[in-house]
Amino acid sequence: MDVRDATTKDVDEIRRVATESLSASYGHAIDEETIRAAVDKWYSTDRLTQALNDADEIFVLAVEDGSVVGFAQSEISDGRETVGYLDWLHVVPEHRGGGIGSQLLARLKQKLVASGVDRLEGRVLTENEEGVTFYDEQGFSEVGERTVEIRGEAFTERVYTTFLDEGDESETGLSRRQTADGKTVYVTYDESMRGAKAPFFAAYLDEEHTERYGWMCGADESFDVAMDTMERLECNECGNRRKPVRWDAAYL
């Protein structure tokens, strides 16, 4: 098997793998029409071409006997720390269980480290039991949950993270800060939301992360961040906005 960078010539194969993988992972919980609409949006020719030509996108394929059997995709976001967001890791059903996902993740991590990424973050719906198990087996830490709405139905999405350089964890994991009105808050850098300029980091009123304060903008470290009921974030100081990710990229 060969693991290599994806190119624009792989668009049709990427769409095929995504469709087969999403159907196998979520077909019991999400209807076929929704999965087909998601593939059409996320893996359109224009969107894939843009991603494959973007220096901040990492896209690697697993190829066996001339056929693509899996791929992993990550976007890099700079700010207080440099985060790699693991958008997707797909393996076609008949090739699961043979270590292809682990090889794709290993190659992805190598490329992210070479790009100066400090931490890798991924998300998975709880309905995808194989995906949850994969994150656990690969040494990711579960750092939170959120509710996402897919065509009127609510699902729970788990957030996982891992530091690519374990030596950085004590430095970047938690930071005590003062807000503009003098309130002490604790910013956790292993719980974030992707932003257009830089990530947003969760802020709590206690070190145990039991009482949420809000969000800190990674672009200017401001706590003046507005959030609506759909968790759309915007920094009132610099205009940084949360970028859609995964399922909400299609349905927010």
Side-chain angles (χ1 to χ4, degrees), residues 14-237:
I14 290 170
R15 287 175 58 86
R16 175 186 59 80
V17 170
T19 301
E20 293 180 15
S21 178
L22 284 169
S23 296
S25 297
Y26 295 110
H28 64 289
I30 299 174
D31 63 81
E32 182 180 344
E33 180 184 356
T34 299
I35 291 175
R36 185 169 57 251
V39 172
D40 287 343
K41 185 174 184 68
W42 299 327
Y43 302 108
S44 68
T45 299
D46 288 345
R47 186 162 185 154
L48 278 173
T49 299
Q50 181 181 5
L52 293 168
N53 289 307
D54 189 337
D56 289 330
E57 293 265 3
I58 306 295
F59 212 125
V60 294
L61 301 180
V63 182
E64 188 168 279
D65 297 328
S67 178
V68 178
V69 296
F71 68 84
Q73 178 185 5
S74 179
E75 181 180 351
I76 299 171
S77 181
D78 289 317
R80 166 64 172 74
E81 62 173 351
T82 303
V83 182
Y85 289 96
L86 180 54
D87 287 328
W88 293 106
L89 195 156
H90 287 301
V91 177
V92 294
E94 60 270 26
H95 283 83
R96 293 180 178 181
I100 292 175
S102 298
Q103 292 182 59
L104 284 167
L105 181 61
R107 176 64 64 87
L108 194 72
K109 284 182 175 180
Q110 289 176 356
K111 296 181 75 68
L112 290 171
V113 169
S115 297
V117 172
D118 304 305
R119 180 172 61 83
L120 179 60
E121 181 178 303
R123 298 165 184 261
V124 62
L125 299 186
T126 54
E127 282 72 16
N128 183 356
E129 295 181 1
E130 284 184 285
V132 170
T133 299
F134 180 79
Y135 277 112
D136 289 337
E137 291 178 345
Q138 295 297 321
F140 283 75
S141 299
E142 183 182 342
V143 296
E145 289 185 350
R146 70 172 189 137
T147 300
V148 297
E149 185 176 301
I150 303 173
R151 294 202 169 180
E153 187 173 355
F155 293 85
T156 299
E157 186 175 55
R158 294 184 183 176
V159 183
Y160 289 88
T161 192
T162 185
F163 285 85
L164 300 183
D165 180 356
E166 294 297 332
D168 290 341
E169 185 166 2
S170 61
E171 177 183 348
T172 62
L174 186 69
S175 175
R176 181 175 177 175
R177 297 294 185 97
Q178 294 287 321
T179 65
D181 59 1
K183 190 181 295 293
T184 298
V185 298
Y186 300 88
V187 177
T188 175
Y189 293 102
D190 56 7
E191 184 179 346
S192 66
M193 288 283 191
R194 188 183 316 186
K197 296 181 179 180
F200 292 92
F201 300 103
Y204 292 85
L205 293 171
D206 61 309
E207 294 184 78
E208 291 74 30
H209 301 176
T210 61
E211 188 175 358
R212 173 66 71 84
Y213 171 78
W215 295 88
M216 185 187 80
C217 175
D220 61 4
E221 301 194 348
S222 167
F223 292 95
D224 187 7
V225 176
M227 181 176 70
D228 65 14
T229 57
M230 300 300 290
E231 289 193 332
R232 285 181 281 240
L233 306 177
E234 182 173 1
C235 177
N236 292 322
E237 296 292 332

